[in-house]
Amino acid sequence: MSGTLKWKLLAGFVLVFLAGLAAGAFLGAAQSHHHRMDFGHHRSLTDRIRNRMQTRLDLTPEQVQKTAPIFNQAAQEIEAIRAETGRRVHQVLAGVDRDLAPELTDQQRAKLQELKAEHHRKRGP
């Protein structure tokens, strides 16, 4: 293998490595933005909606005060949707467990119960 070919291969590997770093940084930044908007944030949903719109629309303090009922209503509706969606997802997953159980061996059913218990421990009461 010639010296030129070695340098070209090395440069190719370095470029691929740098491209991987760039892609990882981009995806990491995208995921961190997504998680920042997560509903588990310590501020209330109403505050997050209000602050986001106030910042994006440059609302005056008077406008913020006048629009508070709009943001409060939106937050209540979103919370109701989230609660209903959570119940529906739980029902679907319970149906999957119920329908899956007869197809499993005793060991697999025991493992399924362990997985469910682990999930419960992680989620809390």
Side-chain angles (χ1 to χ4, degrees), residues 78-94:
I78 291 169
E79 287 297 330
I81 291 168
R82 287 183 60 223
E84 175 61 25
T85 300
R87 284 190 294 276
R88 291 178 64 194
V89 168
H90 180 74
Q91 289 171 348
V92 169
L93 293 177

Side-chain angles (χ1 to χ4, degrees), residues 45-73:
L45 182 58
T46 304
D47 289 342
R48 289 194 308 261
I49 293 171
R50 182 182 7 258
N51 290 341
R52 187 173 183 189
M53 296 308 285
Q54 182 178 7
T55 301
R56 290 183 175 187
L57 298 176
D58 295 321
L59 299 178
T60 66
E62 182 180 307
Q63 288 173 314
V64 170
Q65 185 179 10
K66 286 182 178 180
T67 58
I70 297 169
F71 296 129
N72 292 339
Q73 179 63 35

Side-chain angles (χ1 to χ4, degrees), residues 80-118:
I81 291 168
R82 287 183 60 223
E84 175 61 25
T85 300
R87 284 190 294 276
R88 291 178 64 194
V89 168
H90 180 74
Q91 289 171 348
V92 169
L93 293 177
V96 168
D97 289 350
R98 183 184 59 249
D99 296 343
L100 185 62
E103 305 300 325
L104 302 177
T105 65
D106 289 341
Q107 286 178 319
Q108 291 168 328
R109 276 192 289 278
K111 181 67 174 180
L112 179 61
Q113 291 303 317
E114 288 174 23
L115 292 172
K116 287 168 60 176
E118 180 180 335

